[in-house]
Protein backbone atom coordinates (compact mmCIF):
# COMPACT_ATOMS: atom_id res chain seq x y z
CA UNK A 1 0.00 0.00 0.00
CA UNK A 2 1.41 3.38 -1.00
CA UNK A 3 1.07 6.35 1.31
CA UNK A 4 0.98 9.94 0.16
CA UNK A 5 2.73 12.09 2.68
CA UNK A 6 0.90 10.84 5.70
CA UNK A 7 -2.61 11.71 4.66
CA UNK A 8 -3.85 9.21 2.07
CA UNK A 9 -3.34 5.48 2.41
CA UNK A 10 -3.79 4.07 -1.08
CA UNK A 11 -6.73 1.70 -1.25
CA UNK A 12 -7.72 2.38 2.37
CA UNK A 13 -8.62 6.07 2.64
CA UNK A 14 -8.49 6.95 -1.05
CA UNK A 15 -6.55 6.37 -4.23
CA UNK A 16 -3.13 7.64 -5.14
CA UNK A 17 -2.58 8.04 -8.86
CA UNK A 18 0.25 9.39 -10.96
CA UNK A 19 -0.68 12.96 -11.84
CA UNK A 20 0.54 12.36 -15.38
CA UNK A 21 -1.57 9.23 -15.87
CA UNK A 22 -4.89 10.67 -17.00
CA UNK A 23 -6.33 7.28 -17.90
CA UNK A 24 -5.52 5.89 -14.43
CA UNK A 25 -7.20 8.89 -12.82
CA UNK A 26 -10.27 8.43 -15.03
CA UNK A 27 -10.53 4.75 -14.05
CA UNK A 28 -10.38 5.60 -10.34
CA UNK A 29 -13.01 8.33 -10.70
CA UNK A 30 -15.33 5.91 -12.48
CA UNK A 31 -14.66 3.30 -9.77
CA UNK A 32 -15.75 5.80 -7.13
CA UNK A 33 -18.80 6.93 -9.09
CA UNK A 34 -19.97 3.34 -9.52
CA UNK A 35 -19.29 2.20 -5.97
CA UNK A 36 -21.06 4.06 -3.15
CA UNK A 37 -19.87 1.47 -0.61
CA UNK A 38 -16.26 2.23 -1.54
CA UNK A 39 -16.85 5.97 -1.17
CA UNK A 40 -18.44 5.39 2.23
CA UNK A 41 -15.60 3.10 3.36
CA UNK A 42 -12.92 5.59 2.25
CA UNK A 43 -14.77 8.40 4.03
CA UNK A 44 -15.21 6.41 7.23
CA UNK A 45 -11.58 5.27 7.29
CA UNK A 46 -10.36 8.74 6.37
CA UNK A 47 -12.27 10.26 9.28
CA UNK A 48 -10.91 7.63 11.65
CA UNK A 49 -7.38 8.32 10.37
CA UNK A 50 -7.90 12.08 10.74
CA UNK A 51 -8.91 11.75 14.38
CA UNK A 52 -6.24 9.16 15.17
CA UNK A 53 -3.25 10.63 13.37
CA UNK A 54 -3.89 14.34 12.95
CA UNK A 55 -5.58 15.48 16.16
CA UNK A 56 -4.37 18.54 18.03
CA UNK A 57 -3.13 16.28 20.81
CA UNK A 58 -1.00 14.23 18.40
CA UNK A 59 0.38 17.41 16.84
CA UNK A 60 1.27 18.84 20.26
CA UNK A 61 2.99 15.58 21.25
CA UNK A 62 5.07 15.55 18.04
CA UNK A 63 6.07 19.19 18.51
CA UNK A 64 7.00 18.58 22.16
CA UNK A 65 9.07 15.56 21.15
CA UNK A 66 10.87 17.56 18.47
CA UNK A 67 11.57 20.42 20.86
CA UNK A 68 12.87 17.97 23.48
CA UNK A 69 15.28 16.52 20.93
CA UNK A 70 16.48 19.99 19.94
CA UNK A 71 17.07 20.89 23.59
CA UNK A 72 19.19 17.78 24.24
Amino acid sequence: MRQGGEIIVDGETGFLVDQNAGSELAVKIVDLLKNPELRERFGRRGLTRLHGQFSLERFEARIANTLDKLGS
Side-chain angles (χ1 to χ4, degrees):
M1 230 179 261
R2 292 186 305 178
Q3 291 192 10
E6 294 179 1
I7 298 171
I8 298 172
V9 178
D10 190 34
E12 184 179 321
T13 60
F15 292 125
L16 294 177
V17 296
D18 182 340
Q19 64 184 6
N20 297 314
S23 61
E24 182 184 0
L25 177 59
V27 166
K28 296 302 184 185
I29 290 171
V30 169
D31 287 348
L32 288 169
L33 289 171
K34 288 183 173 181
N35 193 334
E37 293 85 13
L38 180 61
R39 294 192 308 266
E40 184 178 329
R41 185 171 65 236
F42 280 173
R44 194 171 50 253
R45 289 179 179 173
L47 188 59
T48 298
R49 185 166 173 76
L50 170 69
H51 292 298
Q53 298 295 317
F54 302 100
S55 67
L56 179 58
E57 293 79 14
R58 295 269 307 192
F59 173 75
E60 289 172 339
R62 284 190 298 244
I63 292 293
N65 186 36
T66 301
L67 292 174
D68 286 344
K69 288 179 182 177
L70 291 173
S72 299

